Amino acid sequence: MGIHIGANNEVIENFYRLGYQAFVLSVCSILFSILGVKFISKYLNNTEEKKGYEYDD
Amino acid sequence: MTISILVAVAAGIFFGRFFFPIESIGCLSALIDIGLCILLFFVGMDIGRNKEIWPQVKTIGLKMLLVPIMIAFGSIVGSIIGGMFLGIPINESSAIGAGFGWYSFSAVELSKYSATTGALAFITNVCRELFAILSIPFIAKYVGKFESIAPAGATAMDTTLPIISKANDDGNVALVSFITGVTLSILVPILVPLLISL
């Protein structure tokens, strides 16, 4: 892959732009994946608590 | 491991820039395919070797599989939204997001499509891992324990597992993290080629 990148002038010339794009993409994907888990975490926590009570009994 | 991969890519870029004969570039795709098959073989072997995974899933409950499903969904949607802001086609941005931090596979797979997309996938997924390492303790403390698995993506089963485990004083979270990493690692080789072909 490194050779592919190095042999491609377009990639080398746009390295700074790629860095900026990578920053935006990674931050967006992290934020939305946290939101996705946030959406179901209440349900998971309730399930865990119920299981905890079952074990206590 | 991360450093040795970064060094290998940097050495490849240097070699490709100054020494590699441009007319031989065609044979690189075949070499990449062979390399990917070897990589996937060893990842599969690693997952298969761990016989405790499925009984553990049964113990915690199949509901915990919602965590990797929501991480996958959120990562892809997030990268599509980020890609729309940057003017990147949806198939490329979604495929990059579907790398879930597994830069060695997603970048190599996408470099077959285009060297620029491969390079972008590599930097994006390296950034994701670095941000995960930095943010997991804060997310665990201020947002929630299951949410702290989200930035890690596919690395939740190896590189970032000790950080998640340390940040959450709960054995179940470490187990969910491992299962999440395994599930996402299985999804990456399916979703990346599928999304880029759309």
Side-chain angles (χ1 to χ4, degrees):
Chain A
M1 186 190 77
I3 294 172
H4 244 301
I5 294 169
N8 192 310
N9 280 332
E10 196 194 325
V11 179
I12 299 295
E13 283 161 15
N14 292 306
F15 230 77
Y16 287 112
R17 189 175 54 84
L18 288 175
Y20 166 69
Q21 289 181 333
F23 178 83
V24 173
L25 287 176
S26 56
V27 168
C28 284
S29 60
I30 286 177
L31 284 178
F32 277 81
S33 60
I34 293 171
L35 280 176
V37 179
K38 187 90 198 151
F39 189 68
I40 53 151
S41 65
K42 217 170 191 179
Y43 170 65
L44 294 176
N45 286 326
N46 286 343
T47 310
E48 254 204 343
E49 276 171 20
K50 269 185 193 169
K51 277 204 168 172
Y53 290 136
E54 276 170 23
Y55 290 135
D56 289 343
D57 293 340
Chain B
M1 188 61 193
T2 307
I3 291 169
S4 58
I5 289 173
L6 287 172
V7 169
V9 173
I13 292 172
F14 183 77
F15 190 75
R17 184 97 183 121
F18 299 108
F19 303 109
F20 198 75
I22 202 85
E23 59 275 7
S24 309
I25 208 95
C27 71
L28 278 180
S29 294
L31 287 173
I32 287 172
D33 279 339
I34 295 165
L36 280 179
C37 286
I38 295 169
L39 176 75
L40 289 176
F41 173 77
F42 283 109
V43 171
M45 210 167 79
D46 202 30
I47 294 169
R49 222 163 42 100
N50 202 318
K51 291 177 183 129
E52 288 158 18
I53 295 174
W54 301 115
Q56 283 172 341
V57 172
K58 221 176 160 186
T59 311
I60 295 185
L62 282 170
K63 284 167 192 163
M64 292 300 169
L65 287 175
L66 284 172
V67 175
I69 291 168
M70 292 312 283
I71 291 174
F73 180 73
S75 297
I76 295 169
V77 170
S79 57
I80 288 173
I81 291 169
M84 283 163 83
F85 171 72
L86 296 165
I88 298 171
I90 288 175
N91 67 326
E92 290 181 23
S93 58
S94 59
I96 291 167
F100 308 135
W102 188 4
Y103 49 83
S104 51
F105 179 83
S106 60
V108 176
E109 181 66 32
L110 290 174
S111 70
K112 290 193 280 182
Y113 169 78
S114 132
T116 310
T117 313
L120 183 57
F122 182 75
I123 307 168
T124 303
N125 286 296
V126 168
C127 281
R128 181 171 182 152
E129 190 178 322
L130 292 175
F131 291 151
I133 291 166
L134 295 172
S135 64
I136 285 166
F138 294 99
I139 295 166
K141 195 173 176 185
Y142 298 109
V143 186
K145 53 183 183 176
F146 292 116
E147 288 87 342
S148 69
I149 303 170
T155 67
M157 67 185 261
D158 43 50
T159 333
T160 52
L161 179 58
I163 303 164
I164 293 166
S165 180
K166 202 180 165 193
N168 298 283
D169 206 13
D170 182 345
N172 271 356
V173 178
L175 193 57
V176 175
S177 171
F178 184 77
I179 293 162
T180 299
V182 171
T183 312
L184 292 175
S185 298
I186 293 169
L187 287 176
V188 175
I190 301 165
L191 289 177
V192 172
L194 182 79
L195 291 169
I196 199 68
S197 66
L198 293 177

